[in-house]
Amino acid sequence: VIAMISFVIVQIIYWIRFINMRNNKSINICDFVRIALVLIMVFLAVIIVGESFDSLVFVTCIYYPLLLINFIESIIYFKNDMYFSVGLACFILCDTIVGLTNCSSYLGIKESVIKLLIGTIDTAWLFYYPSQILLVLSIIKNNIKTGERHD
């Protein structure tokens, strides 16, 4: 749960990054959609997982919609920061695989069915490493554009 909370904090930092990229820095539709999706996800999770609803499910219901909307908003700025958009797309694929591999106990789905869907190898790593490299390249690219130096 602590790791997931740190992931939520990172997604909030990305959200702030988008607000700073906007010309008018005001709240826009993506901000409302983020909040609405979090509330919808929590509501649906309570209904779907019932008594299995715990702090991990709750934090995941905050994290995943933030990640999805951050990716969608990154498409708006794609021409300015392609690495960031593609990095978030890789993150979505990675975290979807991780979520599917861990949801069997919550949803009552047999683990063999999940392995059939995503394969027997840990395919999350195929997307995790590229996501990290692309997100770092995004930061480096933006620092070069703004003239910041990190020696």
Side-chain angles (χ1 to χ4, degrees):
V1 175
I2 293 171
M4 285 299 298
I5 291 171
S6 68
F7 296 159
V8 168
I9 291 168
V10 169
Q11 292 307 314
I12 291 170
I13 291 169
Y14 291 162
W15 183 2
I16 293 167
R17 179 181 179 180
F18 288 124
I19 292 170
N20 288 329
M21 290 173 77
R22 297 178 193 152
N23 292 334
N24 59 9
K25 310 237 187 297
S26 64
I27 294 174
N28 73 9
I29 190 70
C30 287
D31 301 324
F32 290 112
V33 172
R34 274 182 190 88
I35 295 165
L37 274 181
V38 166
L39 295 173
I40 291 167
M41 284 279 293
V42 169
F43 177 74
L44 289 175
V46 168
I47 292 170
I48 293 169
V49 300
E51 292 179 12
S52 297
F53 190 88
D54 60 13
S55 57
L56 180 60
V57 174
F58 178 72
V59 175
T60 302
C61 288
I62 296 170
Y63 168 72
Y64 204 73
L66 290 176
L67 174 60
L68 287 175
I69 301 302
N70 282 342
F71 169 69
I72 291 168
E73 191 162 4
S74 77
I75 299 300
I76 296 168
Y77 303 106
F78 183 81
K79 66 180 180 199
N80 297 330
D81 202 350
M82 177 187 71
Y83 294 134
F84 189 68
S85 297
V86 177
L88 286 179
C90 288
F91 235 145
I92 288 170
L93 293 169
C94 170
D95 287 347
T96 300
I97 292 166
V98 170
L100 286 172
T101 58
N102 291 302
C103 75
S104 61
S105 62
Y106 290 101
L107 300 177
I109 300 171
K110 291 184 180 180
E111 199 171 319
S112 60
V113 172
I114 292 171
K115 286 187 177 182
L116 182 65
L117 290 171
I118 61 172
T120 54
I121 62 167
D122 193 0
T123 52
W125 293 106
L126 296 173
F127 299 106
Y128 178 76
Y129 288 127
S131 75
Q132 297 306 290
I133 292 167
L134 290 164
L135 292 171
V136 168
L137 287 173
S138 168
I139 293 166
I140 292 169
K141 179 181 167 246
N142 285 328
N143 286 344
I144 291 170
K145 277 183 13 184
T146 60
E148 292 181 30
R149 289 184 45 118
H150 298 283
D151 296 324

